[in-house]
Amino acid sequence: VEEGGDPNRVAEGFAEVASGLDSKWQGPVIRALLFRAGRIFAAKAKDAERAEAVYRRLLELDPADEIAYAALEELKKSTGQWADVVELLLTRVDRLGSGSERARIYAEVGRIYEGELADKDNAFVAAVQAWCEDPRDDAHPSEVERLAGASEEKWDEALGQGAHRVQSEGISPEDKLALLVQMGRWFTTR
């Protein structure tokens, strides 16, 4: 491609070679060829549809492939398909255990809902989820407070989700304490 080749033909060539390989024995080679094809389709050929097809094929080969998710996410962001970005992020969060990585993803979902999709209600729900996943990060309760404002309904929802999380199995004592302390602050100030 750098030497003047047609990006579509080059990317098609990589994808075709990958299709001819035995996935049992040559999985890493197949993935490398498909990633290269996807990048060429996206960046050089400016063909988002074909790039998406390649990245989805990678996810069929390995549904837990974080690099393929990230590439597909970036592609969707670059084409302004924000609802699809949210869907991809929520798919990723479902595969993770609890904790700070889930909270980071929920926080990003909230930013997208508010900033790109103009949906403050779902932004609030995502902020509450982020807080429940990582209650020791001060950014999450601040975001909940900002989005809840003076809405009693939203405060009831946030406190209810916090109470539910406190009672869930597997929550660390530190996270439970952080949730209870924050909920106590909110009860006294709201």
Side-chain angles (χ1 to χ4, degrees), residues 73-110:
E73 212 176 285
E74 286 306 311
L75 180 69
K76 294 292 187 176
K77 286 177 181 177
S78 73
T79 57
Q81 298 176 39
W82 296 104
D84 290 346
V85 173
V86 166
E87 184 180 323
L88 286 167
L89 289 168
L90 293 176
T91 299
R92 285 176 62 199
V93 84
D94 286 342
R95 290 192 337 271
L96 299 171
S98 62
S100 61
E101 182 60 16
R102 284 175 60 99
R104 185 196 65 73
I105 292 172
Y106 278 126
E108 184 175 351
V109 166

Side-chain angles (χ1 to χ4, degrees), residues 113-183:
Y113 270 128
E114 184 177 21
E116 303 298 336
L117 298 172
D119 183 345
K120 285 193 174 196
D121 289 335
N122 276 322
F124 170 76
V125 170
V128 171
Q129 290 298 325
W131 167 62
C132 287
E133 291 294 336
D134 190 5
R136 291 180 278 165
D137 183 334
D138 292 336
H140 302 312
S142 296
E143 190 68 0
V144 170
E145 291 169 4
R146 186 182 69 78
L147 290 166
S151 169
E152 283 189 41
E153 182 180 313
K154 286 186 176 171
W155 282 112
D156 288 346
E157 183 177 345
L159 292 168
Q161 288 296 318
H164 178 75
R165 179 72 174 124
V166 164
Q167 295 171 358
S168 66
E169 290 184 30
I171 185 171
S172 73
E174 296 83 8
D175 284 351
K176 185 181 274 191
L177 180 61
L179 284 166
L180 289 169
V181 167
Q182 186 61 56
M183 290 167 59

